[in-house]
Amino acid sequence: MERKWQQRLLGDLGWLLVAGILLGLFTDAYAWSLVLVLALYLGWVLHNLTRMLRWLLRREQDKSAPPEGVGIWGDLFDAMHRLQQRDQQARGRLKSVIQRIQDSTAALRDGVVMVDSNHCLDWWNDAAEQLLGLCFPEDSGQRLENLIRDPRFAGYFARGDYNEPLELRSPLDDQVRLQYVITRFGRGERLLVVRNVTRLYQLEQMRKDLVANVSHELRTPLTVIRGYLETLQTHPEGVPSHWLRAVGQMEKQTERMGDLVSDLLLLSRLEGSDDGVELRKVAIYPLLNRIVTDAAELLDDESRIQVDCDPSMGLLGNEPELHSAFSNLIVNAVKYTPSPGNIEVRWWQDSKGAHLSVRDEGVGIDPLHIPRLTERFYRIDSSRSIATGGTGLGLAIVKHVLLRHKGVLSVRSVPGKGSTFSCHFGGESCVTLGEAAG
Ligand code: ADP
């Protein structure tokens, strides 16, 4: 193709030269003859250029075929026509793809909102209008934070860590729960997907209420049974001797049930409120001392618990909740460390925040089990756990308390050598206490 038009161009130039020479032979003025031939050729080029421009401008409206052209101009008109047809087909295909994407996104039951790099609304589907109350065209170009005004959403949006979805009440209806998931794309743009999770939330709420209510209702009968069993134990003369062992066992089991009910109630309370925890300055040193004194009663003479803690370093948090979490870790270390064994409790602060570590020289944990330890009732060795009086809820409580304090739990362990359970709190939770705190 390329050769063809090059040959044509060379041919045209050749003919011009021949025409100029022939005219020169007749007129005996070669230079003027060549100028005249070239001027005529230039006029022909300009004429074709004008036709092409006119056709291009007209094509935007009437899509007519290109004008007829001679020689190289014919090739040029045909090539442009082919290019335009190809471009038109590609544009048509792209348009239909975009249309299909828009139709399918509009048909989604989940709200989809596209937000540009300045956090302004670019596009959204019908479901987003229903779920978030967006209006077209008024809200187009508005900042997303101005339309979803919950500070928790603003915090989530600004933080930029979208691994976990955010669940909040709907801005339009208190009874509706919405889940927000954000994904980054393009150059700083974000895609927000909003899902109505009210049904799931209600089911989860029903489960929590059921556990909380059953646990609550079990407390009274358990207290009565425990009372009678204690009475029987304090007056063994009224009990046939072959029943005494059974009464002892019954008391032990009711005590276990009592612990289970208390742990279940505590877990329900921790899960119950969305609004986070009321933060106060907590003096960690006396808190750890109280827990360690209680835990030491479970130890024999050959084992030790050592506390390494600066009394001036405190934490912003909820004292009873922190007590439950720390005491679960320390009591676990005692339970799962055979005698003789040492346990070390450390509380310190550094540039990353505040940390508590509980290190023991006990049975250790196979790495296989570590990711599942904080699940409710997850036990590595059920018989050992029950023998040590465990409810299987201790680490689940630790996890929930840490979640409410924006902290994380980490576990390092070597089977047969011991384990270290550490709680890490962010720098914003660190406080320094006055003299009186120690
Ligand atoms: P439990 O009441 O059974 O101790 P937890 O939730 O406190 O329940 O702990 C879950 C499981 O994790 C326990 O059954 C035990 O197997 C394991 N575990 C917890 N702490 C330790 C520890 N310090 N050393 C070894 N295993 C531990």
Side-chain angles (χ1 to χ4, degrees), residues 97-110 112 123 125:
V97 170
I98 292 175
Q99 192 58 46
R100 282 182 63 195
I101 293 175
Q102 281 198 341
D103 287 351
S104 54
T105 328
L108 276 178
R109 270 188 284 167
D110 293 342
V112 180
W123 179 87
N125 66 354

Side-chain angles (χ1 to χ4, degrees), residues 397-416:
I397 291 174
V398 174
K399 181 180 117 178
H400 272 91
V401 170
L402 290 185
L403 265 179
R404 285 162 64 80
H405 285 77
K406 299 198 174 69
V408 283
L409 177 72
S410 71
V411 185
R412 276 188 295 124
S413 187
V414 181

Side-chain angles (χ1 to χ4, degrees), residues 417-435:
K417 292 247 165 78
S419 320
T420 306
F421 284 75
S422 309
C423 305
H424 308 280
F425 300 91
E428 69 284 356
S429 307
C430 297
V431 281
T432 309
L433 304 162
E435 289 288 304

Side-chain angles (χ1 to χ4, degrees), residues 146-173:
N146 294 346
L147 297 166
I148 306 174
R149 287 183 163 272
D150 194 308
R152 281 170 293 180
F153 180 81
Y156 176 69
F157 192 73
R159 217 174 308 130
D161 173 13
Y162 306 132
N163 284 335
E164 292 293 323
L166 175 75
E167 213 182 291
L168 293 175
R169 285 202 182 94
S170 153
L172 304 178
D173 182 351

Side-chain angles (χ1 to χ4, degrees), residues 92-256:
R93 272 200 302 271
L94 207 64
K95 249 193 211 165
S96 81
V97 170
I98 292 175
Q99 192 58 46
R100 282 182 63 195
I101 293 175
Q102 281 198 341
D103 287 351
S104 54
T105 328
L108 276 178
R109 270 188 284 167
D110 293 342
V112 180
V113 183
M114 272 160 107
V115 183
D116 68 16
S117 53
N118 298 318
H119 304 184
C120 298
L121 263 62
D122 217 359
W123 179 87
W124 60 86
N125 66 354
D126 294 348
E129 289 192 5
Q130 282 151 25
L131 292 170
L132 299 173
L134 301 179
C135 292
F136 184 80
E138 295 89 324
D139 293 332
S140 194
Q142 295 273 357
R143 281 179 76 88
L144 183 63
E145 297 98 313
N146 294 346
L147 297 166
I148 306 174
R149 287 183 163 272
D150 194 308
R152 281 170 293 180
F153 180 81
Y156 176 69
F157 192 73
R159 217 174 308 130
D161 173 13
Y162 306 132
N163 284 335
E164 292 293 323
L166 175 75
E167 213 182 291
L168 293 175
R169 285 202 182 94
S170 153
L172 304 178
D173 182 351
D174 259 10
Q175 303 299 316
V176 175
R177 300 285 301 189
L178 297 181
Q179 188 187 62
Y180 299 93
V181 183
I182 297 178
T183 312
R184 291 174 191 279
F185 74 100
R187 293 188 190 143
E189 287 132 299
R190 282 165 238 217
L191 189 75
L192 169 72
V193 177
V194 191
R195 185 167 299 159
N196 185 340
V197 288
T198 313
R199 233 179 80 75
L200 275 177
Y201 176 77
Q202 281 167 346
L203 282 173
E204 180 68 3
Q205 211 55 35
M206 268 165 64
R207 179 193 65 77
K208 285 181 192 167
D209 288 350
L210 180 77
V211 173
N213 291 338
V214 170
S215 311
H216 189 76
E217 292 304 322
L218 277 174
R219 270 203 326 194
T220 316
L222 262 177
T223 316
V224 174
I225 295 171
R226 233 155 133 183
Y228 279 123
L229 287 171
E230 265 170 31
T231 316
L232 288 178
Q233 288 242 304
T234 43
H235 300 287
E237 64 282 356
V239 184
S241 58
H242 58 277
W243 275 102
L244 278 177
R245 202 168 152 263
V247 170
Q249 293 257 317
M250 281 193 262
E251 201 189 4
K252 235 190 198 162
Q253 292 304 323
T254 32
E255 202 174 307
R256 241 195 97 213

Side-chain angles (χ1 to χ4, degrees), residues 263 328-337 358-366 369 372-382 384-386 388-398 411 413 418-421:
D263 277 1
N328 268 309
L329 293 180
I330 295 171
V331 170
N332 273 353
V334 172
K335 282 193 310 193
Y336 297 105
T337 304
V358 181
R359 192 175 66 78
D360 65 54
E361 297 172 346
V363 292
I365 303 161
D366 192 313
H369 298 289
R372 300 194 58 192
L373 282 184
T374 54
E375 287 175 21
R376 282 153 210 243
F377 301 113
Y378 186 80
R379 290 178 174 122
I380 298 164
D381 178 348
S382 191
R384 185 201 291 268
S385 172
I386 290 167
T388 52
T391 59
L393 294 171
L395 292 179
I397 291 174
V398 174
V411 185
S413 187
S419 320
T420 306
F421 284 75

